[in-house]
Amino acid sequence: MTVRAAVAGASGYAGGELLRLLLAHPGVEIGALTGNSNAGQRLGALQPHLLPLADRVLEPTTAEALAGHDVVFLALPHGQSAAVAEQLGPDVLVVDMGADFRLKDAADWERFYGSPHAGTWPYGLPELPGGRAALEGSKRIAVPGCYPTAVSLALFPAYAAGLAEAEAVIVAASGTSGAGKTPKPHLLGSEVMGSMSPYGVGGGHRHTPEMIQNLSAVAGGRISVSFTPTLAPMPRGILATCSAKAGPGATAESVRAAYEKAFADEPFVHLLPEGQWPATASVHGSNAVQLQVAYDEAAGRIIAISAIDNLTKGTAGGAVQSMNIALGLDETTGLTTIGVAP
Amino acid sequence: MTVRAAVAGASGYAGGELLRLLLAHPGVEIGALTGNSNAGQRLGALQPHLLPLADRVLEPTTAEALAGHDVVFLALPHGQSAAVAEQLGPDVLVVDMGADFRLKDAADWERFYGSPHAGTWPYGLPELPGGRAALEGSKRIAVPGCYPTAVSLALFPAYAAGLAEAEAVIVAASGTSGAGKTPKPHLLGSEVMGSMSPYGVGGGHRHTPEMIQNLSAVAGGRISVSFTPTLAPMPRGILATCSAKAGPGATAESVRAAYEKAFADEPFVHLLPEGQWPATASVHGSNAVQLQVAYDEAAGRIIAISAIDNLTKGTAGGAVQSMNIALGLDETTGLTTIGVAP
Amino acid sequence: MTVRAAVAGASGYAGGELLRLLLAHPGVEIGALTGNSNAGQRLGALQPHLLPLADRVLEPTTAEALAGHDVVFLALPHGQSAAVAEQLGPDVLVVDMGADFRLKDAADWERFYGSPHAGTWPYGLPELPGGRAALEGSKRIAVPGCYPTAVSLALFPAYAAGLAEAEAVIVAASGTSGAGKTPKPHLLGSEVMGSMSPYGVGGGHRHTPEMIQNLSAVAGGRISVSFTPTLAPMPRGILATCSAKAGPGATAESVRAAYEKAFADEPFVHLLPEGQWPATASVHGSNAVQLQVAYDEAAGRIIAISAIDNLTKGTAGGAVQSMNIALGLDETTGLTTIGVAP
Amino acid sequence: MTVRAAVAGASGYAGGELLRLLLAHPGVEIGALTGNSNAGQRLGALQPHLLPLADRVLEPTTAEALAGHDVVFLALPHGQSAAVAEQLGPDVLVVDMGADFRLKDAADWERFYGSPHAGTWPYGLPELPGGRAALEGSKRIAVPGCYPTAVSLALFPAYAAGLAEAEAVIVAASGTSGAGKTPKPHLLGSEVMGSMSPYGVGGGHRHTPEMIQNLSAVAGGRISVSFTPTLAPMPRGILATCSAKAGPGATAESVRAAYEKAFADEPFVHLLPEGQWPATASVHGSNAVQLQVAYDEAAGRIIAISAIDNLTKGTAGGAVQSMNIALGLDETTGLTTIGVAP
């Protein structure tokens, strides 16, 4: 079986990473590639690393261009997916790499995104409890945010096992590609090289309600999240340092056991041997999640740290993994756990 | 007045940064420079950025070499300072840039450093309550660790004002120079560029008891600290993201007021205007601390973030600042709040 | 057909990259992995990005460990390959990723490497004139150096077409992985980040005679080479800026035509559209060579610039490509022209 | 004596570096700061590393704002300086950090800059033969381009001594700040980190005629220049690898002697001991030029390599050095040869 896939938003970082993965996917034929401001340009000028597609020319993002595909990936600015998705018909698998359909709570959406809520689609994080079932056979997928992917996977086992209290504290460092390809002064190489800086501090980052949604669902009660994202001098990668106060029953052994159980059969999530900690370089370009957990007895906290590639597992790889499940393919098709390092 | 200063350990990063600052200090004449494995080498080969000292040759670190100076800076591996300091006499100002004399609790020292406790010297963080008084006229100074400098300054105002609960959670990113100049595989450029990774997770980092000591002294009761350091792909800089649960009385206004009060007269600590967050690039090579604080009402936490240069304010600049106080000089002599950016 | 391959020197950067590629090669089964100082360690601790091999343990590099394989890759320090290769028998395909068998001139070898010349094996750069024929069916392959790969491909078309004079001037920037994984002070992240520096200036770099050998063979006469390598603050990649005085007959058109002809049918070498210049990021992790050529009429020179990944096309990818040819497989098996960017 | 200095273009990288240096200059009082698109903003938001000026607000660049100063620095886009300078009067020292007044040949200017030639001012590279005399007492200074500074200093001694032939080949790597602060896609951190790329290849870079002008003046005959600039993944620094065919009389000794003689009394140019090569990190933030020269006997070429900070000696430091000479101050006032490393 080969499906024909279109990519709306092929000139950005998420679109480029998706194309890199689809080129290696044995069950996908790449169809239309669209863009807006870049329509009419050769992909070779926009994504020079994608040599096999160098001579493809971007079309404008229209219903006509996207018609006639089995799968349509949307890598569009927030708020633009609903209008496009409506025109695609119920039998097309639509995979939204934006935020539009991630949140269940309309008030959360409106508070953080400032526009009317478009709805909620099945959530593309198969490793969460019940995650795969929600995706099987689905024709709509909301790909998670990059930070919520790293954070939810790092913390949910502690909440699933009832070992952590309800207030999570998260500090995550992200590579600059997470901020996109639109040129802005603070994203210049001159500004980011040699510098670490926080942003969206104090609860303002849009990924916060998504983390709360995921962790609360697992915990069976509201989890509060203090989330501080930081921009790191690297193009890719997220290192999420997540902690919560240990609850009754938490010991080094019970915590370890909870994480071993959660990820025992996961193809992409790798709990490192005790004493080894993850590094983002190890997952560069891969769909793997490398993580480790510790119990700090003196401070009474569980600390779980995950490393992902924000563009792969955090965006495009997660999208392909969920597409595979929705289409009934082997979940790992076209994806790798091998990073490009050093 | 000109004092004559010797530097023991002039070939490492702390020693090099100290020499950079002393060369610009109008009241200091640079005397003996010593090293161990590098004794006999030209400084130009070891510290090629220090052109005015290029033809100086390192001597072995001996009591003879260090004799006859007004000030002796020790930039030695942990555990070696006491033996050297004993030989220097009570009238020489000895500034220890290592850890040996920072901790008051001998049991803490032995648990984290694994050797007998050498004692406790006046602590070189003038911005802490009572900090300056402890240094005035002193002949012995223990320069704080780089992380404790960044963290203590970020959090003490909240504790001094009684606005934060007793459990602090800290995640800090450090440039690689904090790990020193001894070649190790994980510190290779190939390994660190493009990568973020944690270390010493779960309470194991030696700077943890120093943070607890500082914050507890201010709070008037034991503060627990969960501290996770991470290695960032940059040569210098620390970004410390510090938070604590807000206590009764904490509001956005009361928190801001506590920080404004704490740093109103500080020459090196700069509380940024509301809405602006610190970046390590802005303090590159400077003795400034740039910081910001927020109150996250939804999560009920105070988040304070500081940026310092780990080698300047975090080590050698802090040493010079404290030396100035001990000698009765203007505290800012030879130091700058201007960073080298971009 | 599946061949069984051993890798001697699996803990270094060349060995790690080779394993990354072999894991994706449908015709190769990975056999013994050996190391010397790292024998007995888990590969997961040494190469944490190679998750599928995390539990493999390195054996010592002995004839016994390497016996029973169809292909043996040697990623050993210079001068060690001959002794190992002798023990492997004539029917085993031995692919040497070191320098030992690259040079034809024993005097050159001895002058640059300071040890007796071990011999000359078929040279693994298929894109050179006659390159493929030399490899077909061969049981011994000398993988080119990373710089000679980038430089020879950039300049040989000009010499093959008789458009360039006999003195080439080359300045190349390399990522730090080219310097290997053995910790040395000048390779620390603290030293290389934010810094460019040259080394081996003035004709001293060992890759110089290899470039001369390649270009002279194509030109049919001795080409002199002035080669200056520089260390760049990035983990991977080579950008080789190569120029030569234009000879009679050189025009913008004739130069372009010579390069188009040389690479028209090459699967891995991509001459960019006029006006677009290569960037090392575009070939990160790929076996592609992206290059461009210009004729500077005012200076009377041809300038050809190539970008490769030093570990992929420059080492391990080149090795796999040549192995494919030697084994009669499709030359591109297991290799990609798609880079991991940004 | 204290002079009052205005800076037109204070929000860019050149302006920011100039302010950093002027803040440390004992003979300068900082007057008006102007910008165009950023007029009305606090400098603290635009240049957060310049803490002592954080509360200064940018004015629009008008004759009124710039009036009443002893010195006016122009850090404006090319082509805008003449109109501003005309309004300042002949007694004001005007230091143009743009290109407008560097070239003597109007045809060269028009070919490379595409606008009418504004004239030629005394050239601010004191180390060139006759360089200081041209600046003493001058009221107009054209600050050299960053690349021409690095290249001219690296090569002029060989031409002054008649040891090099007339065709120079130059490949230089620059940090990204040389490309300015205006956001463009190819300057994003995501694009430049981990990547080396050339630009302006084949004689197109605007600094080429300036190099030809400088070297030809020293040689007493036209020197042709093949110049290839490359963008390196670092915020600051230029490493210029410059070579020319050795002429009659060139030997290792005669070449070394020529360079020793050229720089024997120079306060900022440091010829390294034989065998030591420059690194850009060593001159980070300093006005020093570190350089080395070699004679490659086999290739018959002289290779001279210089490292400068493009923003300091390459722009703002060179401007201050020339201002000092013009004002009759000690040439080194307010400048340092000490880099901020690592």
Side-chain angles (χ1 to χ4, degrees), chain B residues 290-319:
Chain B
Q290 292 205 15
L291 60 75
Q292 183 57 285
V293 66
Y295 173 53
D296 180 343
E297 195 172 351
R301 293 186 79 85
I302 296 166
I303 299 105
I305 306 185
S306 60
I308 65 167
D309 185 315
N310 60 304
L311 291 180
T312 321
K313 178 59 178 168
T315 306

Side-chain angles (χ1 to χ4, degrees), chain D residues 106-207:
Chain D
D108 270 353
W109 172 270
E110 284 160 23
R111 185 161 58 251
F112 279 87
Y113 290 88
S115 61
H117 189 223
T120 312
W121 287 357
Y123 190 72
L125 198 53
E127 294 87 354
L128 287 183
R132 283 185 180 82
L135 295 166
E136 286 164 7
S138 174
K139 290 297 184 182
R140 293 293 184 270
I141 298 171
V143 178
C146 50
Y147 286 122
T149 295
V151 167
S152 303
L153 294 177
L155 277 182
F156 91 80
Y159 285 113
L163 296 172
E165 297 200 356
E167 296 172 359
V169 178
I170 295 144
V171 179
S174 173
T176 53
S177 59
K181 208 172 180 174
T182 304
K184 296 172 189 165
H186 75 286
L187 297 177
L188 283 172
S190 301
E191 300 293 316
V192 299
M193 287 186 285
S195 198
M196 292 282 306
S197 59
Y199 62 102
V201 187
H205 195 281
R206 290 169 164 180
H207 285 175

Side-chain angles (χ1 to χ4, degrees), chain A residues 15-103:
Chain A
E17 181 71 354
L18 180 67
L19 289 171
R20 185 177 77 82
L21 299 176
L22 294 183
L23 281 164
H25 194 295
V28 174
E29 178 194 355
I30 296 175
L33 306 181
T34 78
N36 282 327
S37 56
N38 295 303
Q41 292 197 51
R42 289 176 66 250
L43 201 66
L46 299 165
Q47 307 273 22
H49 60 300
L50 302 175
L51 277 186
L53 299 173
D55 292 328
R56 295 284 300 268
V57 173
L58 288 199
E59 303 174 65
T61 303
T62 62
E64 292 69 38
L66 300 176
H69 295 82
D70 305 298
V71 186
V72 174
F73 290 93
L74 304 179
L76 302 173
H78 298 317
Q80 302 191 1
S81 295
V84 176
E86 276 168 19
Q87 299 180 288
L88 293 173
D91 295 334
V92 178
L93 173 55
V94 184
V95 183
D96 185 22
M97 298 161 78
D100 297 26
F101 298 96
R102 292 173 190 161
L103 295 184

Side-chain angles (χ1 to χ4, degrees), chain B residues 13 176-177 180-185 187-193 232-235, chain C residues 13 176-177 180-185 187-193 232-235:
Chain B
Y13 288 141
T176 52
S177 60
K181 209 172 178 174
T182 304
K184 296 172 189 165
L187 297 177
L188 283 171
S190 301
E191 300 294 316
V192 297
M193 287 186 285
M234 56 189 193
Chain C
Y13 288 140
T176 53
S177 60
K181 209 171 177 174
T182 304
K184 295 172 190 167
L187 298 177
L188 283 171
S190 301
E191 299 294 316
V192 298
M193 287 187 284
M234 57 189 191

Side-chain angles (χ1 to χ4, degrees), chain A residues 123-149:
Chain A
Y123 190 71
L125 198 52
E127 294 87 354
L128 288 183
R132 284 186 180 82
L135 295 166
E136 286 163 10
S138 174
K139 291 296 185 185
R140 294 291 184 271
I141 298 171
V143 178
C146 51
Y147 286 122
T149 295

Side-chain angles (χ1 to χ4, degrees), chain D residues 291-305:
Chain D
L291 60 76
Q292 183 56 287
V293 65
Y295 172 53
D296 180 341
E297 195 172 352
R301 292 186 79 85
I302 296 166
I303 298 104
I305 306 185

Side-chain angles (χ1 to χ4, degrees), chain B residues 24-125:
Chain B
H25 194 296
V28 174
E29 177 195 357
I30 296 175
L33 306 181
T34 78
N36 281 327
S37 56
N38 295 303
Q41 291 197 54
R42 287 178 66 250
L43 200 67
L46 299 165
Q47 308 273 22
H49 60 300
L50 301 176
L51 277 185
L53 299 173
D55 292 328
R56 294 286 298 269
V57 173
L58 288 199
E59 305 174 63
T61 303
T62 61
E64 291 70 36
L66 300 176
H69 295 83
D70 305 297
V71 186
V72 174
F73 290 93
L74 305 179
L76 302 172
H78 298 316
Q80 302 191 1
S81 295
V84 175
E86 278 169 16
Q87 299 181 289
L88 293 172
D91 294 336
V92 178
L93 173 55
V94 184
V95 184
D96 184 23
M97 298 161 78
D100 298 26
F101 299 96
R102 293 173 190 160
L103 295 185
K104 294 178 178 163
D105 186 299
D108 270 352
W109 173 269
E110 284 160 24
R111 183 161 59 251
F112 280 88
Y113 291 88
S115 60
H117 190 223
T120 311
W121 287 357
Y123 189 72
L125 197 52

